[in-house]
Amino acid sequence: MTAFPVAQPLTVGNIYAALEQANRSDLHPRLSASQLGGECERQIWDGFRWLFPPERFDGRKLSIFRTGEVWEERIVGMLRAADMEVDDVDPATGEQFRIVFAAGHASGRTDGKVRNVPEAPKTEHVLEVKSHNDRSFKDLLKKGGVREAKPAHFAQVQLYMHHQHLTRALYVCINKNDDTVYAERIEYDAVAALQLVAKAERLATQERRPSCTCPSYFLKAGYGCAPNDGLMPNRNCRTCLHATAHLDGDARWSCARWTQDLTLEEQRAGCPSHLFNPSLVPGEQFDADEAGEWVMYRLADGSVWKDGGVG
């Protein structure tokens, strides 16, 4: 006999709804330092080019994110209680320390800087704080540290050290199941950092959509590129063949159609002359008319599709 689903109490539903209402999900203008260590360049590029709407999280997941913020505050308090000096905000801005690189097309925010670390009291460290569930925490221990178990986190701290001219990072995390604390000092790796900077510059200016390199188990579970598989991208300047990201200026984008630089607002809005970047269309281009502003494609299913023009 099939069991009836248990109805969610109104109180719980209202709590989750309030979290969803308060959460603002928007298209991020820059590549994120936290993403650049990811395995799939397509997923990173798609997000930077605004192919699809930002992921919207339900109230339960948003609550998990809030819990992560609480853990960060708690761990900073633990470090201070253990006589370490922690700067968790930039005195110049009153906000988290921020790095910007790849000519303004990439950025990141650190959890702070820490001094008087017992293993190296005189060395200032980048501080990176995380919370893990039991499985993730045990994987970190089993694989012997951040570099092997959490490559995206390793990439983050390398970029932070590189741009803040520091040679060590202190990675502190907690097992949310039993409060076990893990701490690891990570050494600056100039080669790894410079490779990540080069990766950011390459992805920012790359015109063709990269191939998907998500692990198969990720795709099967519906993560990575999987949720957007087969969807037509959004229309905005970053999905248009006329738009180019430049490595001069500050996060500069230009439009060849209108021969002008594009503001962030203009990039989001797009214009009636939008033509899709050919690498985003699931087919082969076989005809085009520059004056008529259209491109013709033969799609994978054999049908013909006209992008742009009138009629």
Side-chain angles (χ1 to χ4, degrees), residues 74-311:
R74 198 175 159 198
I75 290 173
V76 167
M78 290 177 179
L79 295 173
R80 286 173 173 156
D83 294 327
M84 282 171 261
E85 301 171 15
V86 180
D87 296 329
D88 55 347
V89 295
D90 184 344
T93 64
E95 299 178 352
Q96 284 183 302
F97 290 95
R98 184 167 178 257
I99 61 168
V100 178
F101 54 105
H105 292 297
S107 67
R109 292 182 182 274
T110 76
D111 291 326
K113 297 179 182 179
V114 58
R115 295 172 297 281
N116 201 33
V117 176
E119 291 83 357
K122 296 181 181 180
T123 302
E124 186 170 49
H125 295 61
V126 165
L127 176 63
E128 186 63 21
V129 177
K130 300 291 184 185
S131 57
H132 295 280
N133 60 31
D134 191 58
R135 179 194 57 78
S136 179
F137 190 87
K138 287 178 178 176
D139 188 56
L140 176 63
L141 299 180
K142 180 181 177 181
K143 293 183 177 178
V146 176
R147 185 167 201 155
E148 294 301 321
K150 308 293 175 187
H153 297 173
F154 181 80
Q156 272 184 277
V157 297
Q158 290 302 329
L159 285 167
Y160 297 155
M161 284 188 281
H162 180 75
H163 288 95
Q164 293 184 323
H165 309 293
L166 298 176
T167 60
R168 295 292 186 275
L170 181 67
Y171 181 95
V172 185
C173 66
I174 196 160
N175 183 329
K176 293 182 287 186
N177 293 62
D178 63 10
D179 276 27
T180 303
V181 176
Y182 173 89
E184 178 182 342
R185 294 179 65 235
I186 300 173
E187 187 174 354
Y188 172 60
D189 183 331
V191 173
L194 290 170
Q195 286 175 338
L196 288 162
V197 172
K199 180 180 181 180
E201 293 177 351
R202 174 171 54 78
L203 288 176
T205 55
Q206 183 168 321
E207 295 185 358
R208 289 193 60 82
R209 190 185 190 196
S211 300
C212 172
T213 53
C214 288
S216 58
Y217 70 89
F218 236 56
L219 297 174
K220 289 178 181 177
Y223 299 123
C225 297
N228 298 319
D229 189 33
L231 298 180
M232 197 64 185
N234 291 331
R235 288 181 180 271
N236 57 64
C237 287
R238 295 197 182 188
T239 61
C240 179
L241 61 81
H242 297 302
T244 301
H246 300 270
L247 291 179
D248 62 325
D250 181 15
R252 187 167 81 88
W253 284 79
S254 71
C255 173
R257 169 64 177 80
W258 299 106
T259 60
Q260 67 177 50
D261 283 359
L262 297 164
T263 66
L264 201 56
E265 291 73 22
E266 288 169 337
Q267 292 170 42
R268 289 194 172 106
C271 80
S273 296
H274 180 283
L275 290 173
F276 276 109
N277 178 324
S279 70
L280 306 183
V281 180
E284 180 183 0
Q285 178 182 330
F286 70 89
D287 199 5
D289 186 323
E290 186 175 353
E293 296 190 283
W294 55 260
V295 181
M296 200 78 76
Y297 294 89
R298 183 168 287 105
L299 303 182
D301 62 3
S303 62
V304 171
W305 177 65
K306 183 182 181 182
D307 183 18
V310 179

